[in-house]
Amino acid sequence: DAGVIQSPRHEVTEMGQEVTLRCKPISGHNSLFWYRQTMMRGLELLIYFNNNVPIDDSGMPEDRFSAKMPNASFSTLKIQPSEPRDSAVYFCASSFLQAQKLFFGSGTQLSVL
Amino acid sequence: GNSVTQMEGPVTLSEEAFLTINCTYTATGYPSLFWYVQYPGEGLQLLLKATKADDKGSNKGFEATYRKETTSFHLEKGSVQVSDSAVYFCALSDRSGGGADGLTFGKGTHLIIQP
């Protein structure tokens, strides 16, 4: 298996633009997580899905952030409009429901100018 | 709420030195404890885990013992290598089954091993 696949690896955009981050979880995994990593705040859970259903989005910072999981093999995290303070590395991770081991993608480095 | 506290980094050691990265936690009940490692340019990956008090997790020469009395899960390795340079994250899960949806991560400790 190729592991969790995220795209793009790097994204540079201007303030006010829409940004869409993509994730393909490991086949068969039924839980998917979006995390944000910054130097100041460390690793923050933004939202997670079980069986394609959003379970907890309390970590989503603002209404500018939205996430979808239309099927078991694809999820998106959208920021509209983007702001410089959104600059971070965004990770997608997947696991089996109730499993202890989380598998992370390589992340998307987002820079908002 | 749950929280994980790790020692501030970066931690810089010479090759073959002994490593300890401290981790303490606050949680209700009986959490499962984990160490994840992040190599440069990659996502986190599970290094080891322990699910109950006095359990010892081990992998790739790293060890950590679940100490309920001191609420600690310190990571140790007897002889580090340059290839161990990475960021190490301590984490806990408060789900009874240790599910990933209950994970709380520490801020990470950057380890630098010099040849």
Side-chain angles (χ1 to χ4, degrees):
Chain A
D1 198 310
V4 176
I5 299 173
Q6 291 186 245
S7 63
R9 285 298 306 269
H10 303 274
E11 176 80 32
V12 180
T13 190
E14 292 186 346
M15 182 174 64
Q17 297 298 305
E18 177 179 296
V19 174
T20 299
L21 311 181
R22 298 173 175 79
C23 176
K24 182 181 188 312
I26 291 174
S27 177
H29 283 185
N30 45 16
S31 291
L32 182 140
F33 305 76
W34 282 101
Y35 285 88
R36 178 172 68 176
Q37 183 180 37
T38 60
M39 289 291 290
M40 290 297 293
R41 300 162 79 106
L43 200 62
E44 302 173 278
L45 177 63
L46 300 177
I47 185 172
Y48 74 91
F49 298 81
N50 284 345
N51 296 316
N52 312 338
V53 176
I55 302 300
D56 184 356
D57 65 354
S58 59
M60 296 285 261
E62 303 171 29
D63 291 345
R64 298 184 296 107
F65 286 70
S66 62
K68 294 182 179 179
M69 191 164 186
N71 57 62
S73 59
F74 184 66
S75 177
T76 59
L77 178 68
K78 186 175 294 187
I79 308 173
Q80 166 62 17
S82 58
E83 296 182 3
R85 59 194 168 116
D86 302 331
S87 298
V89 180
Y90 291 81
F91 287 104
C92 175
S94 70
S95 74
F96 291 108
L97 193 63
Q98 292 302 308
Q100 295 179 332
K101 189 173 182 179
L102 204 54
F103 294 80
F104 281 77
S106 296
T108 295
Q109 173 79 57
L110 174 64
S111 298
V112 183
L113 306 178
Chain B
N2 298 333
S3 68
V4 175
T5 302
Q6 295 181 232
M7 59 193 296
E8 294 280 330
V11 173
T12 303
L13 296 172
S14 297
E15 207 166 18
E16 299 184 4
F18 184 85
L19 167 71
T20 301
I21 300 178
N22 290 338
C23 171
T24 57
Y25 67 90
T26 302
T28 54
Y30 303 96
S32 296
L33 301 174
F34 308 84
W35 277 100
Y36 277 77
V37 58
Q38 183 182 25
Y39 298 105
E42 299 182 10
L44 282 71
Q45 55 186 275
L46 181 64
L47 179 61
L48 54 84
K49 66 182 183 185
T51 57
K52 61 183 188 296
D54 299 326
D55 268 4
K56 177 184 284 188
S58 61
N59 186 25
K60 299 181 181 180
F62 290 89
E63 293 183 340
T65 301
Y66 188 142
R67 300 287 187 200
K68 191 170 187 300
E69 64 276 11
T70 54
T71 61
S72 64
F73 193 55
H74 304 323
L75 183 68
E76 295 181 336
K77 186 174 185 182
S79 176
V80 293
Q81 305 301 314
V82 173
S83 58
D84 294 327
S85 298
V87 181
Y88 292 81
F89 292 85
C90 186
L92 68 83
S93 173
D94 62 359
R95 296 294 183 264
S96 60
D101 57 330
L103 277 173
T104 299
F105 285 92
K107 288 199 170 183
T109 301
H110 187 192
L111 175 66
I112 300 169
I113 307 299
Q114 297 178 332

